[in-house]
Amino acid sequence: MKHRERINKEYQYQESEDSYEIGCQWIQQNDLEKAEKFIKKAIELNEYFIYAYVTLAEIYEKQQRWHDAIHVLKKASVHDPAFDRLYLLMARNSLSAGDFIASLRFIDRAISANPLQEYLDFRETAQESMRQP
């Protein structure tokens, strides 16, 4: 990579982090609309900023926009498919949306990547939710 391109990329990543920090400040002030704008800008500037995707999904969760959260997390998983926690978050949002089958599919993917007790417990909770009328 040429020197100028590298400098531009570094500046872009720094601007992305700044935008993310501002978005997090808006979350603390409970202005989710402004937070969403700044977090989206962070992702636009650095499409590999996985925690920005997670934070955007959390904003959507607070607004009960389950499908938007899932969509954002799927985008993040394209950039980092080994980040198993993304699948837990997709499972949680799917369960909140009432999509039990998708929830189980996502949590199984998380478990196959990393069989944490937290994931196994969530799977049990999701299965119990399916059985309830």
Side-chain angles (χ1 to χ4, degrees):
M1 183 182 295
K2 294 179 183 175
H3 180 70
R4 181 179 285 266
E5 289 174 13
R6 186 177 53 77
I7 297 291
N8 277 344
K9 205 50 125 170
E10 288 173 13
Y11 174 78
Q12 198 170 350
Y13 286 168
Q14 183 60 51
E15 191 176 342
S16 174
E17 288 179 26
D18 291 346
S19 186
Y20 177 79
E21 290 299 322
I22 293 168
C24 289
Q25 290 172 4
W26 283 117
I27 291 170
Q28 289 177 343
Q29 294 181 29
N30 207 30
D31 190 333
L32 300 182
E33 190 175 309
K34 287 182 182 173
E36 178 182 358
K37 180 180 124 186
F38 281 96
I39 301 298
K40 281 182 171 181
K41 180 71 173 176
I43 293 169
E44 180 183 311
L45 291 166
N46 179 1
E47 67 182 345
Y48 297 99
F49 195 168
I50 301 303
Y51 289 105
Y53 290 94
V54 171
T55 302
L56 183 57
E58 289 171 352
I59 290 169
Y60 292 151
E61 281 181 43
K62 289 179 183 200
Q63 298 170 326
Q64 298 182 355
R65 294 167 57 187
W66 318 120
H67 295 289
D68 290 336
I70 295 164
H71 180 72
V72 166
L73 293 164
K74 282 182 179 179
K75 282 185 178 181
S77 72
V78 167
H79 296 296
D80 192 353
F83 189 10
D84 51 269
R85 187 147 190 90
L86 293 172
Y87 301 108
L88 170 67
L89 297 173
M90 285 186 259
R92 188 172 73 198
N93 281 283
S94 295
L95 186 61
S96 294
D99 189 344
F100 303 113
I101 293 170
S103 182
L104 289 174
R105 188 177 72 240
F106 288 130
I107 199 61
D108 285 344
R109 198 154 176 201
I111 291 168
S112 70
N114 190 0
L116 295 174
Q117 188 61 47
E118 176 185 9
Y119 298 169
L120 297 168
D121 292 344
F122 180 87
R123 189 177 204 300
E124 193 174 305
T125 300
Q127 285 180 310
E128 287 173 18
S129 295
M130 284 181 68
R131 290 185 213 116
Q132 296 175 359

